[in-house]
Amino acid sequence: MSLFLSYILLGLSLAAPIGPINAAQMDRGIRGGFWNSWILGLGSLAADFIFIALVYFGTVHFLQIPFVKSFLWLFGCFVLIYSGWDGLRGAKQVAEYRNASHESLSKSFGTGFILSISNPLSIMFWLGIYGSILAKAAQTYGVKELVLYTSAVILGLMAWDLTMAVMSSGLRRYLTPRLLTGISFLSGWMLIAFGIYFGWQAFVELFG
């Protein structure tokens, strides 16, 4: 049980650092409420399942090819800068529709999926950290244990997504219009900043 809990804590610690998904969840929670934020997190989780499958079926080496890595960084750069710019354009209207969900849940899910599947940091985590965990666990435990501990990591990720959805949707009731707009601007700029960072990593990968 203690080992199972440690894997849940691993999932929490991996999801907690501020990143593109957290910024997007905060933005959706303020704009559309709990369900938009939570569904965006589930979209991100769906992408995580794909990464898990890639690791499990041994496609790690293909994703380590320099050209492929560069393409992933550039694609992530485009997605993040576009998402950030879209958030900045609508930031001033946040206070006006704080009680309405203008974005469909399917769009929120798709946004979470695209942000995660195009995020090289997510790919590196699942191929690096999870890959090493899987390799180590496979030497000691059977398939049932591997599934159990993988589920614990995912449970930790889901717990953090739920926390972000509750926090962002709950906060919007108490924030002034100016603060709501400011937080939305901050979220947009954070996504753009991550996009610029991804673009720099692509440049280093290609010419470094």
Side-chain angles (χ1 to χ4, degrees):
M1 179 59 70
S2 61
L3 189 57
F4 182 80
L5 290 175
S6 69
Y7 278 100
I8 292 179
L9 290 175
L10 174 62
L12 281 169
S13 63
L14 290 166
I18 296 299
I21 298 299
N22 284 347
Q25 274 196 284
M26 182 65 71
D27 180 66
R28 291 310 188 282
I30 290 173
R31 289 169 179 269
F34 171 83
W35 287 108
N36 285 99
S37 181
W38 171 235
I39 294 298
L40 187 142
L42 291 183
S44 171
L45 192 64
D48 291 338
F49 279 112
I50 293 178
F51 294 138
I52 291 173
L54 289 174
V55 173
Y56 190 81
F57 291 108
T59 57
V60 175
H61 299 296
F62 170 74
L63 295 174
Q64 293 299 319
I65 298 173
F67 174 78
V68 175
K69 290 172 66 177
S70 300
F71 173 78
L72 292 173
W73 282 117
L74 286 171
F75 185 61
C77 170
F78 169 77
V79 170
L80 288 171
I81 290 178
Y82 176 81
S83 298
W85 176 248
D86 186 58
L88 289 177
R89 287 192 304 166
K92 292 182 179 180
Q93 284 75 44
V94 171
E96 297 176 9
Y97 52 71
R98 69 163 79 189
N99 295 317
S101 298
H102 283 255
E103 183 177 80
S104 67
L105 295 181
S106 60
K107 185 176 180 180
S108 293
F109 183 91
T111 298
F113 181 83
I114 293 297
L115 283 175
S116 185
I117 202 75
S118 64
N119 185 352
L121 296 179
S122 295
I123 297 171
M124 290 176 184
F125 156 67
W126 287 110
L127 298 186
I129 300 175
Y130 177 72
S132 62
I133 291 173
L134 187 69
K136 183 178 180 180
Q139 295 176 353
T140 310
Y141 308 107
V143 175
K144 291 183 179 179
E145 286 79 6
L146 290 178
V147 173
L148 180 65
Y149 297 141
T150 298
S151 300
V153 174
I154 293 172
L155 186 60
L157 294 172
M158 290 181 67
W160 180 257
D161 287 340
L162 180 61
T163 301
M164 287 294 296
V166 171
M167 286 177 56
S168 60
S169 60
L171 281 175
R172 70 177 185 155
R173 300 175 185 175
Y174 307 103
L175 296 176
T176 64
R178 180 176 293 182
L179 281 175
L180 284 169
T181 300
I183 292 174
S184 189
F185 266 116
L186 179 62
S187 298
W189 281 115
M190 284 179 63
L191 290 174
I192 290 174
F194 278 109
I196 293 172
Y197 171 75
F198 285 9
W200 171 252
Q201 292 299 318
F203 177 83
V204 171
E205 191 70 40
L206 288 170
F207 305 107

mmCIF file of all heavy atoms in Angstrom, residues 59-79:
data_model
loop_
_atom_site.group_PDB
_atom_site.id
_atom_site.type_symbol
_atom_site.label_atom_id
_atom_site.label_comp_id
_atom_site.label_asym_id
_atom_site.label_seq_id
_atom_site.Cartn_x
_atom_site.Cartn_y
_atom_site.Cartn_z
ATOM 1 N N THR A 59 8.426 2.048 -28.564
ATOM 2 C CA THR A 59 8.702 2.970 -29.673
ATOM 3 C C THR A 59 9.555 4.152 -29.217
ATOM 4 O O THR A 59 9.587 5.188 -29.870
ATOM 5 C CB THR A 59 7.391 3.492 -30.273
ATOM 6 O OG1 THR A 59 6.616 4.123 -29.239
ATOM 7 C CG2 THR A 59 6.580 2.373 -30.886
ATOM 8 N N VAL A 60 10.234 3.981 -28.096
ATOM 9 C CA VAL A 60 11.034 5.064 -27.525
ATOM 10 C C VAL A 60 12.122 5.534 -28.484
ATOM 11 O O VAL A 60 12.356 6.733 -28.656
ATOM 12 C CB VAL A 60 11.670 4.617 -26.192
ATOM 13 C CG1 VAL A 60 12.593 5.693 -25.652
ATOM 14 C CG2 VAL A 60 10.600 4.267 -25.186
ATOM 15 N N HIS A 61 12.805 4.598 -29.119
ATOM 16 C CA HIS A 61 13.964 4.945 -29.946
ATOM 17 C C HIS A 61 13.588 5.835 -31.128
ATOM 18 O O HIS A 61 14.349 6.717 -31.513
ATOM 19 C CB HIS A 61 14.647 3.667 -30.438
ATOM 20 C CG HIS A 61 15.156 2.803 -29.323
ATOM 21 N ND1 HIS A 61 16.160 3.223 -28.464
ATOM 22 C CD2 HIS A 61 14.787 1.576 -28.899
ATOM 23 C CE1 HIS A 61 16.399 2.279 -27.577
ATOM 24 N NE2 HIS A 61 15.579 1.262 -27.812
ATOM 25 N N PHE A 62 12.408 5.615 -31.713
ATOM 26 C CA PHE A 62 11.970 6.432 -32.839
ATOM 27 C C PHE A 62 11.833 7.893 -32.424
ATOM 28 O O PHE A 62 12.221 8.803 -33.166
ATOM 29 C CB PHE A 62 10.631 5.906 -33.369
ATOM 30 C CG PHE A 62 9.983 6.820 -34.375
ATOM 31 C CD1 PHE A 62 10.482 6.923 -35.659
ATOM 32 C CD2 PHE A 62 8.881 7.597 -34.019
ATOM 33 C CE1 PHE A 62 9.889 7.770 -36.595
ATOM 34 C CE2 PHE A 62 8.287 8.437 -34.944
ATOM 35 C CZ PHE A 62 8.796 8.518 -36.225
ATOM 36 N N LEU A 63 11.310 8.111 -31.224
ATOM 37 C CA LEU A 63 11.093 9.484 -30.761
ATOM 38 C C LEU A 63 12.370 10.165 -30.290
ATOM 39 O O LEU A 63 12.354 11.348 -29.977
ATOM 40 C CB LEU A 63 10.051 9.488 -29.631
ATOM 41 C CG LEU A 63 8.650 9.057 -30.062
ATOM 42 C CD1 LEU A 63 7.742 8.958 -28.853
ATOM 43 C CD2 LEU A 63 8.064 10.038 -31.062
ATOM 44 N N GLN A 64 13.466 9.422 -30.245
ATOM 45 C CA GLN A 64 14.752 10.008 -29.871
ATOM 46 C C GLN A 64 15.544 10.490 -31.080
ATOM 47 O O GLN A 64 16.613 11.079 -30.943
ATOM 48 C CB GLN A 64 15.588 8.976 -29.089
ATOM 49 C CG GLN A 64 14.999 8.615 -27.727
ATOM 50 C CD GLN A 64 14.886 9.800 -26.805
ATOM 51 O OE1 GLN A 64 15.780 10.640 -26.744
ATOM 52 N NE2 GLN A 64 13.778 9.894 -26.080
ATOM 53 N N ILE A 65 15.034 10.257 -32.297
ATOM 54 C CA ILE A 65 15.696 10.729 -33.508
ATOM 55 C C ILE A 65 15.702 12.258 -33.509
ATOM 56 O O ILE A 65 14.661 12.878 -33.269
ATOM 57 C CB ILE A 65 14.967 10.204 -34.764
ATOM 58 C CG1 ILE A 65 15.011 8.673 -34.786
ATOM 59 C CG2 ILE A 65 15.591 10.785 -36.027
ATOM 60 C CD1 ILE A 65 14.172 8.057 -35.892
ATOM 61 N N PRO A 66 16.871 12.904 -33.734
ATOM 62 C CA PRO A 66 16.954 14.371 -33.663
ATOM 63 C C PRO A 66 15.914 15.105 -34.492
ATOM 64 O O PRO A 66 15.323 16.080 -34.030
ATOM 65 C CB PRO A 66 18.374 14.650 -34.171
ATOM 66 C CG PRO A 66 19.141 13.428 -33.794
ATOM 67 C CD PRO A 66 18.173 12.284 -33.968
ATOM 68 N N PHE A 67 15.668 14.654 -35.729
ATOM 69 C CA PHE A 67 14.683 15.327 -36.574
ATOM 70 C C PHE A 67 13.290 15.245 -35.956
ATOM 71 O O PHE A 67 12.532 16.224 -35.964
ATOM 72 C CB PHE A 67 14.663 14.703 -37.974
ATOM 73 C CG PHE A 67 13.565 15.248 -38.854
ATOM 74 C CD1 PHE A 67 13.702 16.489 -39.459
ATOM 75 C CD2 PHE A 67 12.385 14.532 -39.055
ATOM 76 C CE1 PHE A 67 12.688 17.014 -40.256
ATOM 77 C CE2 PHE A 67 11.370 15.046 -39.846
ATOM 78 C CZ PHE A 67 11.525 16.285 -40.446
ATOM 79 N N VAL A 68 12.942 14.080 -35.438
ATOM 80 C CA VAL A 68 11.626 13.896 -34.820
ATOM 81 C C VAL A 68 11.495 14.774 -33.580
ATOM 82 O O VAL A 68 10.463 15.421 -33.364
ATOM 83 C CB VAL A 68 11.402 12.412 -34.449
ATOM 84 C CG1 VAL A 68 10.076 12.233 -33.702
ATOM 85 C CG2 VAL A 68 11.415 11.553 -35.702
ATOM 86 N N LYS A 69 12.539 14.834 -32.774
ATOM 87 C CA LYS A 69 12.518 15.679 -31.582
ATOM 88 C C LYS A 69 12.356 17.149 -31.959
ATOM 89 O O LYS A 69 11.603 17.887 -31.317
ATOM 90 C CB LYS A 69 13.795 15.466 -30.764
ATOM 91 C CG LYS A 69 13.872 14.108 -30.098
ATOM 92 C CD LYS A 69 15.228 13.859 -29.466
ATOM 93 C CE LYS A 69 15.492 14.780 -28.308
ATOM 94 N NZ LYS A 69 16.792 14.462 -27.659
ATOM 95 N N SER A 70 13.063 17.579 -33.011
ATOM 96 C CA SER A 70 12.951 18.970 -33.461
ATOM 97 C C SER A 70 11.536 19.284 -33.930
ATOM 98 O O SER A 70 10.988 20.350 -33.628
ATOM 99 C CB SER A 70 13.944 19.241 -34.594
ATOM 100 O OG SER A 70 15.264 19.027 -34.176
ATOM 101 N N PHE A 71 10.956 18.339 -34.685
ATOM 102 C CA PHE A 71 9.588 18.529 -35.149
ATOM 103 C C PHE A 71 8.620 18.647 -33.977
ATOM 104 O O PHE A 71 7.717 19.493 -33.989
ATOM 105 C CB PHE A 71 9.163 17.358 -36.044
ATOM 106 C CG PHE A 71 7.709 17.408 -36.432
ATOM 107 C CD1 PHE A 71 7.263 18.256 -37.430
ATOM 108 C CD2 PHE A 71 6.777 16.603 -35.776
ATOM 109 C CE1 PHE A 71 5.927 18.304 -37.787
ATOM 110 C CE2 PHE A 71 5.431 16.656 -36.126
ATOM 111 C CZ PHE A 71 5.013 17.505 -37.133
ATOM 112 N N LEU A 72 8.800 17.841 -32.949
ATOM 113 C CA LEU A 72 7.929 17.881 -31.782
ATOM 114 C C LEU A 72 8.037 19.216 -31.054
ATOM 115 O O LEU A 72 7.032 19.797 -30.632
ATOM 116 C CB LEU A 72 8.271 16.731 -30.827
ATOM 117 C CG LEU A 72 7.946 15.320 -31.326
ATOM 118 C CD1 LEU A 72 8.493 14.274 -30.366
ATOM 119 C CD2 LEU A 72 6.440 15.150 -31.491
ATOM 120 N N TRP A 73 9.283 19.708 -30.901
ATOM 121 C CA TRP A 73 9.476 21.017 -30.253
ATOM 122 C C TRP A 73 8.778 22.127 -31.053
ATOM 123 O O TRP A 73 8.107 22.991 -30.490
ATOM 124 C CB TRP A 73 10.963 21.336 -30.133
ATOM 125 C CG TRP A 73 11.689 20.647 -29.027
ATOM 126 C CD1 TRP A 73 12.719 19.754 -29.140
ATOM 127 C CD2 TRP A 73 11.481 20.810 -27.610
ATOM 128 N NE1 TRP A 73 13.145 19.351 -27.898
ATOM 129 C CE2 TRP A 73 12.416 19.982 -26.945
ATOM 130 C CE3 TRP A 73 10.595 21.567 -26.849
ATOM 131 C CZ2 TRP A 73 12.484 19.898 -25.550
ATOM 132 C CZ3 TRP A 73 10.655 21.484 -25.460
ATOM 133 C CH2 TRP A 73 11.589 20.658 -24.833
ATOM 134 N N LEU A 74 8.937 22.093 -32.386
ATOM 135 C CA LEU A 74 8.347 23.138 -33.232
ATOM 136 C C LEU A 74 6.824 23.068 -33.236
ATOM 137 O O LEU A 74 6.144 24.095 -33.195
ATOM 138 C CB LEU A 74 8.874 23.007 -34.671
ATOM 139 C CG LEU A 74 10.319 23.457 -34.895
ATOM 140 C CD1 LEU A 74 10.785 23.086 -36.297
ATOM 141 C CD2 LEU A 74 10.450 24.965 -34.672
ATOM 142 N N PHE A 75 6.297 21.864 -33.283
ATOM 143 C CA PHE A 75 4.849 21.708 -33.263
ATOM 144 C C PHE A 75 4.276 22.196 -31.933
ATOM 145 O O PHE A 75 3.255 22.896 -31.888
ATOM 146 C CB PHE A 75 4.470 20.242 -33.485
ATOM 147 C CG PHE A 75 2.991 20.013 -33.596
ATOM 148 C CD1 PHE A 75 2.252 20.613 -34.607
ATOM 149 C CD2 PHE A 75 2.338 19.194 -32.685
ATOM 150 C CE1 PHE A 75 0.891 20.411 -34.716
ATOM 151 C CE2 PHE A 75 0.966 18.983 -32.785
ATOM 152 C CZ PHE A 75 0.242 19.587 -33.802
ATOM 153 N N GLY A 76 4.945 21.847 -30.837
ATOM 154 C CA GLY A 76 4.530 22.328 -29.527
ATOM 155 C C GLY A 76 4.604 23.836 -29.433
ATOM 156 O O GLY A 76 3.739 24.483 -28.835
ATOM 157 N N CYS A 77 5.634 24.414 -30.026
ATOM 158 C CA CYS A 77 5.806 25.871 -30.059
ATOM 159 C C CYS A 77 4.605 26.525 -30.733
ATOM 160 O O CYS A 77 4.024 27.481 -30.204
ATOM 161 C CB CYS A 77 7.101 26.224 -30.793
ATOM 162 S SG CYS A 77 7.318 27.986 -31.153
ATOM 163 N N PHE A 78 4.218 26.003 -31.891
ATOM 164 C CA PHE A 78 3.083 26.572 -32.629
ATOM 165 C C PHE A 78 1.790 26.474 -31.840
ATOM 166 O O PHE A 78 1.031 27.446 -31.715
ATOM 167 C CB PHE A 78 2.928 25.851 -33.976
ATOM 168 C CG PHE A 78 1.648 26.173 -34.684
ATOM 169 C CD1 PHE A 78 1.500 27.378 -35.355
ATOM 170 C CD2 PHE A 78 0.581 25.280 -34.670
ATOM 171 C CE1 PHE A 78 0.307 27.687 -36.006
ATOM 172 C CE2 PHE A 78 -0.605 25.583 -35.319
ATOM 173 C CZ PHE A 78 -0.737 26.789 -35.988
ATOM 174 N N VAL A 79 1.523 25.295 -31.282
ATOM 175 C CA VAL A 79 0.271 25.073 -30.552
ATOM 176 C C VAL A 79 0.174 25.995 -29.338
ATOM 177 O O VAL A 79 -0.866 26.604 -29.071
ATOM 178 C CB VAL A 79 0.155 23.598 -30.111
ATOM 179 C CG1 VAL A 79 -1.017 23.409 -29.144
ATOM 180 C CG2 VAL A 79 -0.027 22.699 -31.332
#
